[in-house]
Amino acid sequence: MATVPLLSDEDAAPESRAVFDRIRAARDTDYVNNFWRALAHDPALLTATWDRLSTVMAPGALDPLVKELVYLAVSTANGCAYCIHSHTAAARAKGMTPAQHAELLAVIAMASQTNALATALQVPTDDRFQES
Amino acid sequence: MATVPLLSDEDAAPESRAVFDRIRAARDTDYVNNFWRALAHDPALLTATWDRLSTVMAPGALDPLVKELVYLAVSTANGCAYCIHSHTAAARAKGMTPAQHAELLAVIAMASQTNALATALQVPTDDRFQES
Amino acid sequence: MATVPLLSDEDAAPESRAVFDRIRAARDTDYVNNFWRALAHDPALLTATWDRLSTVMAPGALDPLVKELVYLAVSTANGCAYCIHSHTAAARAKGMTPAQHAELLAVIAMASQTNALATALQVPTDDRFQES
Amino acid sequence: MATVPLLSDEDAAPESRAVFDRIRAARDTDYVNNFWRALAHDPALLTATWDRLSTVMAPGALDPLVKELVYLAVSTANGCAYCIHSHTAAARAKGMTPAQHAELLAVIAMASQTNALATALQVPTDDRFQES
Amino acid sequence: MATVPLLSDEDAAPESRAVFDRIRAARDTDYVNNFWRALAHDPALLTATWDRLSTVMAPGALDPLVKELVYLAVSTANGCAYCIHSHTAAARAKGMTPAQHAELLAVIAMASQTNALATALQVPTDDRFQES
Amino acid sequence: MATVPLLSDEDAAPESRAVFDRIRAARDTDYVNNFWRALAHDPALLTATWDRLSTVMAPGALDPLVKELVYLAVSTANGCAYCIHSHTAAARAKGMTPAQHAELLAVIAMASQTNALATALQVPTDDRFQES
């Protein structure tokens, strides 16, 4: 259970309800997921978060599926259960195949173990990696 | 400074030196970076780590640049300074453009903030995200 | 379910029960929450934890509500679900308003994203921040 | 060293330079710190981050010093060295006393240890903390 | 619920089923736990993970129980609920007593708090700790 | 550089100096390391931390070297550079051999990768691991 009640359309303030409508329009669905209904207690935070997300995840130099894979990888490293579930679903909706999912998992696992080793050994950064 | 001495080719055991040679061959360079020289104290761990990395990062259902972006994202979320430097360099070597780097950063920042919000609010996972 | 049974007053050792009684007295309630009942398997750890908590969270240069907000922020960054629930409740009991909760969430989200950006960019600390 | 060059006013694009000027005006100083100079490679990300930060950290239901303390606590839990230095300085600039700093540290340490204990024990959340 | 279906012996590919059989043989039990059934979607990842785990956790310079305690400590710091449950059970199966469990928890809590303090204070490493 | 000045014996308050003396006596050395000199600004926090550390790390159901290994593992997972250096040194002082260090690293790396996989897959805990 969330630390705040999830707000239905009826209970949400008009500004939050307007964001719900923009979410529905952007995703072409009637469904507004729990994250936004929890955020809706603060219409300003809801608006800022949705607007920024829409901008950041739009197609650009990286394609939307790659962005979802990165999002899922970060959510995993941060241990956010909700985000892992919702972004695994989002990645599938954007075309992630089982083979891509499997390779994503393998990369996440690989990075996690070499991150731990480099940290445990406190390896100094090579000069050549310092030149930006 | 590392918590163990970095091993030169001269100081490393033959099994570790053989891995150094495979690293050089795979990357077409004479340079072996500090991470491997620190790991070389344990030839078995060095071998297992390099072999697995080679397998995981090879082209597959995801292309090598996408894998590097995911690696860099995980390394950032895990706060591994060495890994961030080395995998930023690796991503550039595999063709990451400044525009792609900028979008990667924006996605990492976005995920970090919604991860924190979903966690702070303890949002329950929607049933529809539970169907795998 | 916890990795150890939660101890009732009947099952707890006398030293643990004595801490339960001090918790009840300090909070003016009969209820002892699950965290303490899980810790009660080790009376020494239970005693040390409760005693230290009482000292640290007492009014001082920072008022108790500010301390709770900080506690909740750290618990969020550490991803401790139990702690997020219990300290959200504790913050409300100490007077946290919905508006304060909303601003706390916004600050946590902001910090999480700039933490990620500064880490991803490996920004060197400005000299002026080094002067303590 | 950062993974990107820090941009001087001369090297930054006009949109980024404009943000530098707003930072200077808001803080009544000529100095623009490294974080913003690293972000300046992506004027859109720089603008979005500064604008959001200004909104979030403005006085509101929580006072600016409390917000800085929370920011510093989150930065510590996330292990962001740059952020710890810059927000310790910012907190001092907003009036944090040595006694307040000391209490902040004590609360962060306390939360970190009970977070670890609750996680290690996998304590189930009490029903009463679930009622939001 | 997992983000992928858990695979029964019937549904798993032959290569995955062969790993299930090796798990059963190594542990002298019919039971294959959920982690392996989730990993089984990618026989190569399942095989690599099980093989590496068997090698790493075998008796060596550290005894198997000590390795389990370390595994449990890392899992706690990383906040992996599944891993905490499974490795607490594994540690008990290898002989962890309640007194050892209690001391493990106390060390984890202690480290967590001094980690936070050293990070918050950004304490520079003493020269004498730099000599490896 | 630390976010507070490191206090010499001359600059420290008498209560902090007394803890310095207890550290010297317990370790049979004249050297007091930076962590304690940074903590010394708050004699109460210094005292509480040292006293608790002495109790927790004393021989008990786990021997002191095992406790150091666990401490080092947690410090690695938490990414505390100072703590990794100081506790690697402490583990060596308590007899950690290179072979034990290597195995410790391998276990930490192994746990880090399976933690990431179990989290990414959101594997539900087996009923049998729930029985405490």
Side-chain angles (χ1 to χ4, degrees):
Chain A
M1 210 168 170
T3 59
V4 295
L6 302 180
L7 293 185
S8 65
D9 280 54
E10 291 66 40
D11 294 333
E15 191 187 347
S16 289
R17 214 156 48 221
V19 177
F20 289 172
D21 287 339
R22 282 155 53 205
I23 293 173
R24 289 187 175 100
R27 295 179 168 173
D28 195 20
T29 171
D30 265 357
Y31 191 74
V32 173
N33 56 299
N34 293 347
F35 178 68
W36 306 109
R37 295 195 176 283
L39 271 189
H41 290 273
D42 181 353
L45 181 58
L46 171 64
T47 304
T49 306
W50 171 254
D51 286 353
R52 184 71 189 145
L53 185 75
S54 303
T55 301
V56 167
M57 299 304 280
L62 298 176
D63 76 63
L65 176 56
V66 171
K67 290 183 176 184
E68 276 299 338
L69 299 180
V70 168
Y71 214 114
L72 181 47
V74 172
S75 301
T76 299
N78 284 336
C80 177
Y82 183 87
C83 314
I84 291 165
H85 279 292
S86 62
H87 288 279
T88 299
R92 284 183 177 131
K94 289 182 181 167
M96 179 178 72
T97 64
Q100 289 174 322
H101 192 201
E103 291 194 11
L104 177 71
L105 294 174
V107 176
I108 292 171
M110 191 73 222
S112 300
Q113 76 172 298
T114 60
N115 289 175
L117 287 169
T119 297
L121 289 161
Q122 289 289 298
V123 183
T125 303
D126 304 67
D127 288 343
R128 67 175 55 196
F129 297 150
Q130 300 272 14
E131 300 154 20
S132 57
Chain B
M1 210 169 170
T3 59
V4 296
L6 302 180
L7 292 185
S8 65
D9 279 55
E10 292 66 40
D11 293 333
E15 191 187 346
S16 289
R17 213 154 51 221
V19 177
F20 290 173
D21 287 339
R22 280 155 55 204
I23 293 173
R24 288 186 175 101
R27 294 178 169 175
D28 195 20
T29 171
D30 264 358
Y31 191 74
V32 174
N33 55 301
N34 293 347
F35 177 67
W36 306 109
R37 294 194 177 282
L39 269 189
H41 290 272
D42 181 354
L45 181 57
L46 172 63
T47 304
T49 307
W50 171 255
D51 285 353
R52 184 72 188 142
L53 185 75
S54 303
T55 301
V56 167
M57 299 303 279
L62 298 176
D63 76 62
L65 176 55
V66 170
K67 290 184 177 184
E68 276 299 338
L69 299 179
V70 168
Y71 214 114
L72 181 46
V74 171
S75 301
T76 298
N78 283 336
C80 177
Y82 183 87
C83 314
I84 291 166
H85 278 293
S86 62
H87 287 279
T88 300
R92 284 184 177 130
K94 289 182 181 166
M96 179 179 72
T97 64
Q100 289 174 322
H101 192 202
E103 292 194 12
L104 177 70
L105 294 174
V107 176
I108 292 171
M110 191 74 222
S112 300
Q113 76 173 298
T114 59
N115 289 174
L117 288 169
T119 298
L121 290 161
Q122 289 291 297
V123 184
T125 303
D126 305 67
D127 288 344
R128 66 174 56 196
F129 297 151
Q130 300 272 15
E131 299 154 19
S132 56
Chain C
M1 210 170 170
T3 58
V4 294
L6 303 180
L7 294 185
S8 65
D9 279 54
E10 290 66 39
D11 294 332
E15 191 187 346
S16 289
R17 214 155 49 221
V19 177
F20 289 174
D21 287 340
R22 282 155 53 205
I23 293 173
R24 289 187 175 100
R27 295 179 168 173
D28 195 20
T29 171
D30 265 358
Y31 191 75
V32 173
N33 56 299
N34 292 346
F35 178 67
W36 307 109
R37 295 195 177 281
L39 270 189
H41 289 272
D42 181 355
L45 181 57
L46 171 64
T47 304
T49 306
W50 171 255
D51 285 353
R52 184 72 189 144
L53 185 75
S54 303
T55 301
V56 168
M57 299 303 280
L62 297 176
D63 76 62
L65 176 55
V66 170
K67 291 183 177 184
E68 276 299 337
L69 299 179
V70 168
Y71 214 113
L72 181 46
V74 171
S75 300
T76 298
N78 284 336
C80 177
Y82 183 87
C83 314
I84 290 165
H85 278 293
S86 62
H87 288 279
T88 299
R92 285 185 177 129
K94 289 182 181 167
M96 180 179 72
T97 65
Q100 288 174 322
H101 192 201
E103 291 195 11
L104 177 70
L105 294 174
V107 176
I108 291 171
M110 190 73 222
S112 299
Q113 75 171 298
T114 59
N115 289 175
L117 288 168
T119 297
L121 290 161
Q122 289 290 297
V123 184
T125 304
D126 305 66
D127 288 345
R128 67 175 55 196
F129 297 150
Q130 300 272 15
E131 299 153 20
S132 57
Chain D
M1 210 169 170
T3 59
V4 295
L6 302 180
L7 293 184
S8 65
D9 279 54
E10 290 67 39
D11 294 333
E15 191 187 346
S16 288
R17 214 155 50 222
V19 176
F20 289 173
D21 287 340
R22 281 155 52 204
I23 293 173
R24 288 186 176 101
R27 293 178 170 174
D28 195 20
T29 171
D30 264 358
Y31 191 74
V32 174
N33 55 299
N34 293 347
F35 177 68
W36 306 109
R37 294 193 177 283
L39 269 189
H41 290 272
D42 181 354
L45 181 57
L46 172 63
T47 304
T49 307
W50 171 255
D51 285 353
R52 184 72 189 143
L53 185 75
S54 303
T55 301
V56 167
M57 299 303 281
L62 298 176
D63 77 62
L65 177 55
V66 171
K67 290 183 177 185
E68 276 299 338
L69 299 179
V70 168
Y71 214 114
L72 181 46
V74 172
S75 301
T76 298
N78 283 335
C80 177
Y82 183 86
C83 314
I84 291 166
H85 278 294
S86 61
H87 287 279
T88 300
R92 285 184 177 129
K94 289 182 181 166
M96 178 178 73
T97 64
Q100 288 174 322
H101 192 200
E103 291 194 11
L104 177 70
L105 294 173
V107 175
I108 291 171
M110 191 73 221
S112 300
Q113 75 172 297
T114 58
N115 289 174
L117 288 169
T119 297
L121 289 162
Q122 290 289 298
V123 183
T125 303
D126 304 66
D127 287 344
R128 66 174 56 196
F129 297 151
Q130 301 271 16
E131 298 154 19
S132 57
Chain E
M1 209 169 170
T3 59
V4 295
L6 302 180
L7 293 184
S8 65
D9 279 55
E10 291 67 40
D11 295 332
E15 191 187 347
S16 289
R17 213 155 49 221
V19 177
F20 290 173
D21 287 339
R22 282 155 53 205
I23 293 173
R24 288 186 175 102
R27 294 177 169 175
D28 196 19
T29 171
D30 264 357
Y31 191 75
V32 173
N33 56 299
N34 293 347
F35 178 67
W36 307 109
R37 295 194 178 281
L39 269 189
H41 290 272
D42 181 354
L45 181 58
L46 171 64
T47 304
T49 307
W50 171 255
D51 285 354
R52 184 71 189 144
L53 185 75
S54 303
T55 301
V56 168
M57 299 303 280
L62 298 176
D63 76 63
L65 175 56
V66 171
K67 291 184 177 184
E68 276 299 338
L69 299 179
V70 168
Y71 214 113
L72 181 47
V74 171
S75 300
T76 298
N78 284 335
C80 177
Y82 183 86
C83 313
I84 291 166
H85 279 292
S86 62
H87 288 279
T88 300
R92 285 183 177 131
K94 289 181 181 167
M96 179 178 72
T97 64
Q100 289 175 322
H101 192 201
E103 291 195 12
L104 178 70
L105 295 174
V107 176
I108 291 172
M110 190 73 222
S112 300
Q113 76 172 298
T114 60
N115 289 176
L117 287 169
T119 297
L121 289 162
Q122 290 289 298
V123 183
T125 303
D126 303 68
D127 287 344
R128 65 175 55 197
F129 297 150
Q130 301 271 15
E131 300 153 19
S132 56
Chain F
M1 209 168 171
T3 59
V4 295
L6 302 180
L7 293 185
S8 65
D9 279 54
E10 291 66 39
D11 294 333
E15 191 187 347
S16 289
R17 214 155 49 222
V19 177
F20 290 173
D21 286 340
R22 281 155 53 205
I23 293 173
R24 288 185 175 103
R27 294 178 170 174
D28 195 21
T29 171
D30 264 358
Y31 191 74
V32 173
N33 55 299
N34 293 346
F35 177 67
W36 306 109
R37 295 195 178 282
L39 269 189
H41 290 272
D42 181 353
L45 181 57
L46 172 63
T47 304
T49 307
W50 171 254
D51 285 354
R52 184 72 188 143
L53 185 75
S54 303
T55 302
V56 168
M57 299 303 279
L62 298 176
D63 76 62
L65 176 55
V66 171
K67 290 183 177 184
E68 277 298 339
L69 299 179
V70 168
Y71 214 114
L72 181 46
V74 172
S75 300
T76 298
N78 284 336
C80 177
Y82 183 87
C83 314
I84 291 166
H85 279 294
S86 62
H87 287 279
T88 300
R92 284 182 178 130
K94 288 182 182 167
M96 179 178 73
T97 65
Q100 289 174 322
H101 192 201
E103 291 194 12
L104 177 71
L105 294 174
V107 176
I108 292 172
M110 191 74 221
S112 300
Q113 75 172 298
T114 58
N115 289 174
L117 288 169
T119 298
L121 289 162
Q122 289 290 297
V123 183
T125 303
D126 305 66
D127 288 344
R128 66 173 56 195
F129 297 150
Q130 301 271 17
E131 299 154 20
S132 56

